Amino acid sequence: MTDEIAIIPGDGIGREVVPAAVRVLEATEPSFAFTEAEAGDAVAEREGTPLPDSTVETVEAADATLFGAAGETAADVILPLREAVGSFANVRPARAYPGVDALRPETDLVFVRENTEGVYSGIESDLGEGVTTLTRVVTESASRRIAEFGFAYADEHDADVTVTHKANVMRTTDGRFLDAVDAVAAERGADYDTELMDALATKLLLDPTQYDVVLCPNLAGDVLSDLAAGLVGGLGLLPSANVGADNALFEPVHGTAPDIAGEGVANPAAAILSAAMLLTHLGYEDEGARVRSAVERTLEEGPRTPDLGGTATTDEVAAAVVSRL
Amino acid sequence: MTDEIAIIPGDGIGREVVPAAVRVLEATEPSFAFTEAEAGDAVAEREGTPLPDSTVETVEAADATLFGAAGETAADVILPLREAVGSFANVRPARAYPGVDALRPETDLVFVRENTEGVYSGIESDLGEGVTTLTRVVTESASRRIAEFGFAYADEHDADVTVTHKANVMRTTDGRFLDAVDAVAAERGADYDTELMDALATKLLLDPTQYDVVLCPNLAGDVLSDLAAGLVGGLGLLPSANVGADNALFEPVHGTAPDIAGEGVANPAAAILSAAMLLTHLGYEDEGARVRSAVERTLEEGPRTPDLGGTATTDEVAAAVVSRL
Ligand SMILES: CC(C)[C@H](C(=O)O)[C@@H](O)C(=O)O
Ligand SMILES: CC(C)[C@H](C(=O)O)[C@@H](O)C(=O)O
C-alpha cells in the first residue's frame, strides 16, 4: 500500500527543511506518494490567499501532511489546516539532546494540547464604545476527547499525566475541562496530577523532570510548549503532530526564520523529527524510531548547522541522517 | 500626616512574613497607623466567608494594604481585593539577586499586567449539552489605562517597553489592546516592541536581558511573571503591587507554603520587598530604596532562611534587614 503524503514547504526555511525531511522519508522503507501544495505569504502574494482551496483538497485527500512554516499569514494557514485534518490533539514533545546546549538538559516532556477550542474559537465581537469580546468555548466532548487521547498516549509511553488549567479563575469553562478529564481518568482507572498553568510555568523551569505528559487546554499548550522550547535550547528542535481521527498534519514548531532563509543552512532536525512522528503515526513504528535515533546521533556527533555552532548545510545534515538510518 | 495601612496576613506563611514586613515598615521614618484585617481559608472556616465585609471596608478606608497569602480561597480573596482598591495595574518586578541561585542570574524584568479584564471578566455560562463559555472582555479604556501606566513606569525607570499579546488568534480583542497601546505610544512619542506571548515564553528563557518592562494582558501577565519567577529562582523573592487611582494593595507573589507554614522559617524577602513598593507608592521613595537595598544586602550576605540554603528564622532575617536600613 502506498501512503499519500501532502507536502507543504510554505515560506522561508520551510522551503529548505521540508525537502530535507522528504529526503529522509524517501530513504525509509515505506512507499510514499508525495504531492506538493502551496501555503503561506508567497502564494498569498501571487494568488491573493495564503491557503488555496487546492491545498486544502490535497491535505484532505492525503493520509498525512508534512508542513514547514508560514510567515505573516501563519495563523491563516495553520489554523484552517488543523481543521482540514480534523485535528483535535496537538502533540508537542520537548526533549533536550546530548550535544545541544540547553537551559535544562534533563528536560523530556510531551505536551498534549487541545487543538479545537478555548480562545481559538474564532468567536469575537466589537460591541462598540471600545468594548470587544471573545467567547472562550470549552465543551465536554472536546475535553473528553483530548483526555482520552492524552491518557492513552501516556499509557503507551508509560508516562505520568499532569493536567494544567486555570480553573480558579475560569471556573465554569476550565471547571468543565477538569470534570471531563476526571471522568475519563476514572473510567480508565488512571492517575493524574493537576497544576495551575501559572504555577506550572514556574515549576517547569525549576524542575522539568517532575513532569512527563502535560495535558493542556489550547492556549496553555501553546504557551507552555514554547516555554519548554526555551528549556531545551530553542524552537529549532521541536517537532509536532496535529492528530485527527483519520488524518494528521506534522510540523516543526519553529517559524520561517527570515534572517537565515535562503542560505541553505537551516537546521532540519525539527522537520525530520516531525517526519519521524508521521512515520510512527502511519504505523511505521520501526522506521519512526530509526529516523529519531539517526537525528539524535547526528545532533550528538555532527555535522551541525550554524544555530548549533557548526558549519554544515541543511543538505549535509539531511545526508548524515540518511546515512545513519 | 499618618498613613493608614491595612494589614492582611491571611493564611500559612502569610502570618509569618507579613508581621516581618510590618516590623521593617515600623523601622522606617514615616508614621503609619496599621489596622489588621482577616481574609483566607481560616476566616472562611470560622465565619463562612474568606473575605468578610469588614476586611473590604478596612482596605477601602486605608491608604494602602499589605496582603500576605491565602490558601484554597486565594482567588475569592485576591480578585475582590484588587477590585476593592480599584487596581488596574499589577506591577511585578522579577529580578535575580546576587547570592541567590537563579537559572538566569542576569534577569531584571518588570511585568506591568492589566488587572481588570481579559479572561478575568467573571462572565461564564454553562449553556447545557456540555457546552460552557467564558467571555474574554478587552476594552479600549482599560487598554489605554494600562498602556499609559506602563509607558509612564518605563519612562521613570528609563526602560524599554515590550508589549505582549496573541492578536494573531485573538484578533478583535488583542487587536483592540494593541491599537490602544499604539495610540498611547503615539501620543507620548514612545517606542515599543511587540512579541507574541508564546514566542516571548521561549525568548525570556533564552535571553531575558532583551526585555525591561513587559506590558501584558491579564492572563499573559499572570503566566509570564510566574515564568520569570522560575528564571530568578522561584516565587520566594517576587513582590508585587496592585495599583489603583487612589489606593493600592501590595503582596508577595508566593502562596501560603503549607509545607513550612508555622515553623517560623519562611523567607520574608518578597513580603518586605512588597512593603518597599508600598513605601515608594506612598511617596516615601528614599525609604523604599533603603528597604530594597537592605533586603539585597541581606540576600547577599545573610542571614538566610532554609529555602536559600541558610538556617535563619523569618525573624532573624527581618532583624537583619532592619539593622541594615
Ligand atoms: C501561528 C499560531 C496560530 C499558532 C498557534 O497559536 O497555535 C502557533 O503559535 C503554534 O503554536 O503553532
Ligand atoms: C490566585 C489567582 C486568582 C491569582 C491570579 O490569577 O491573578 C494569582 O495567580 C496571582 O497571579 O496573583
Side-chain angles (χ1 to χ4, degrees), chain A residues 75-76 79 103-104 119-120 124-126 130-140 166 168-173 176 197-199 201-202 205-206 219 222-223 226-227 229-231 233-235, chain B residues 75-76 79 103-104 119-120 124-126 130-140 166 168-173 176 197-199 201-202 205-206 219 222-223 226-227 229-231 233-235:
Chain A
D76 293 309
L79 299 180
L103 199 54
R104 288 288 187 206
V119 296
Y120 286 71
E124 290 193 288
S125 307
D126 186 334
V131 178
T132 62
T133 60
L134 177 150
T135 303
R136 178 176 196 263
V137 177
V138 176
T139 64
E140 185 178 358
K166 187 79 191 177
N168 56 342
V169 171
M170 305 196 275
R171 295 176 183 204
T172 304
T173 49
R176 175 55 51 105
M197 66 184 285
D198 47 334
T202 306
L205 267 67
L206 296 181
L219 183 68
D222 182 48
V223 176
D226 269 27
L227 174 160
L231 291 176
L235 290 169
Chain B
D76 294 309
L79 299 180
L103 199 54
R104 288 287 188 208
V119 296
Y120 286 72
E124 289 192 289
S125 306
D126 186 334
V131 178
T132 62
T133 61
L134 178 150
T135 303
R136 179 177 195 261
V137 177
V138 176
T139 64
E140 186 178 358
K166 186 81 191 175
N168 56 342
V169 171
M170 306 196 275
R171 295 174 183 204
T172 304
T173 50
R176 175 55 51 106
M197 67 184 284
D198 47 335
T202 307
L205 266 66
L206 296 181
L219 183 68
D222 181 49
V223 175
D226 269 27
L227 175 160
L231 291 176
L235 290 169

Side-chain angles (χ1 to χ4, degrees), chain A residues 66 90 152:
Chain A
L66 185 63
N90 190 331

Side-chain angles (χ1 to χ4, degrees), chain B:
Chain B
M1 198 192 88
T2 299
D3 293 285
E4 310 275 340
I5 310 293
I7 296 296
I8 310 178
D11 299 318
I13 63 166
R15 310 201 71 79
E16 298 159 41
V17 298
V18 167
V22 169
R23 202 165 139 192
V24 174
L25 283 176
E26 280 172 336
T28 60
E29 305 296 289
S31 132
F32 292 125
F34 295 103
T35 309
E36 193 165 324
E38 295 194 289
D41 296 1
V43 65
E45 264 196 24
R46 280 199 316 278
E47 302 189 15
T49 168
L51 191 62
D53 290 345
S54 57
T55 296
V56 174
E57 284 155 22
T58 301
V59 166
E60 284 171 350
D63 294 299
T65 294
L66 184 64
F67 171 67
E72 293 295 313
T73 56
D76 294 309
V77 170
I78 193 61
L79 299 180
L81 282 181
R82 287 176 186 160
E83 235 181 289
V85 297
S87 169
F88 58 86
N90 190 330
V91 183
R92 300 188 158 194
R95 273 189 61 182
Y97 294 97
V100 178
D101 263 355
L103 199 54
R104 288 287 188 208
E106 64 277 26
T107 305
D108 189 0
L109 297 162
V110 180
F111 294 89
V112 173
R113 166 184 176 190
E114 202 288 323
N115 216 11
T116 68
E117 54 182 29
V119 296
Y120 286 72
S121 67
I123 310 172
E124 289 192 289
S125 306
D126 186 334
L127 305 178
E129 302 290 328
V131 178
T132 62
T133 61
L134 178 150
T135 303
R136 179 177 195 261
V137 177
V138 176
T139 64
E140 186 178 358
S141 58
S143 300
R144 282 191 61 96
R145 199 169 44 174
I146 193 67
E148 272 156 10
F149 183 91
F151 282 113
Y153 186 96
D155 272 355
E156 268 166 47
H157 295 80
D158 203 16
D160 293 333
V161 174
T162 301
V163 181
T164 193
H165 67 95
K166 186 81 191 175
N168 56 342
V169 171
M170 306 196 275
R171 295 174 183 204
T172 304
T173 50
D174 272 6
R176 175 55 51 106
F177 171 69
L178 286 181
D179 286 348
V181 169
D182 196 62
V184 169
E187 287 160 24
R188 304 179 60 98
D191 285 332
Y192 66 98
D193 289 316
T194 60
E195 200 72 80
L196 286 165
M197 67 184 284
D198 47 335
L200 189 55
T202 307
K203 291 182 178 181
L204 282 171
L205 266 66
L206 296 181
D207 185 7
T209 64
Q210 284 178 52
Y211 306 97
D212 282 347
V213 168
V214 183
L215 187 61
C216 313
N218 208 340
L219 183 68
D222 181 49
V223 175
L224 294 174
S225 64
D226 269 27
L227 175 160
L231 291 176
V232 303
L235 290 169
L237 299 179
L238 271 70
S240 76
N242 296 278
V243 179
D246 38 43
N247 202 342
L249 179 146
F250 301 82
E251 46 165 341
V253 176
H254 64 66
T256 56
D259 49 324
I260 59 160
E263 295 176 17
V265 296
N267 186 346
I272 299 174
L273 290 168
S274 300
M277 293 183 86
L278 180 153
L279 287 165
T280 307
H281 177 81
L282 291 179
Y284 306 111
E285 309 216 341
D286 290 350
E287 284 82 354
R290 274 167 54 215
V291 170
R292 210 160 32 244
S293 70
V295 171
E296 280 166 30
R297 253 188 76 196
T298 305
L299 287 171
E300 191 162 357
E301 299 170 16
R304 295 201 185 93
T305 43
D307 57 306
L308 301 179
T311 57
T313 64
T314 308
D315 286 347
E316 284 162 359
V317 172
V321 171
V322 168
S323 76
R324 284 163 176 156
L325 282 175

Side-chain angles (χ1 to χ4, degrees), chain A residues 125-211:
Chain A
S125 307
D126 186 334
L127 305 178
E129 302 289 327
V131 178
T132 62
T133 60
L134 177 150
T135 303
R136 178 176 196 263
V137 177
V138 176
T139 64
E140 185 178 358
S141 57
S143 300
R144 280 191 62 96
R145 199 169 44 175
I146 193 68
E148 272 156 10
F149 183 91
F151 282 113
Y153 185 96
D155 271 355
E156 267 166 48
H157 295 80
D158 203 15
D160 292 334
V161 174
T162 302
V163 181
T164 193
H165 67 96
K166 187 79 191 177
N168 56 342
V169 171
M170 305 196 275
R171 295 176 183 204
T172 304
T173 49
D174 273 7
R176 175 55 51 105
F177 171 70
L178 286 180
D179 285 348
V181 169
D182 196 63
V184 169
E187 287 160 24
R188 303 179 61 97
D191 284 333
Y192 65 98
D193 289 317
T194 60
E195 200 73 77
L196 286 164
M197 66 184 285
D198 47 334
L200 189 55
T202 306
K203 292 183 178 181
L204 282 171
L205 267 67
L206 296 181
D207 185 7
T209 63
Q210 284 179 52
Y211 305 98

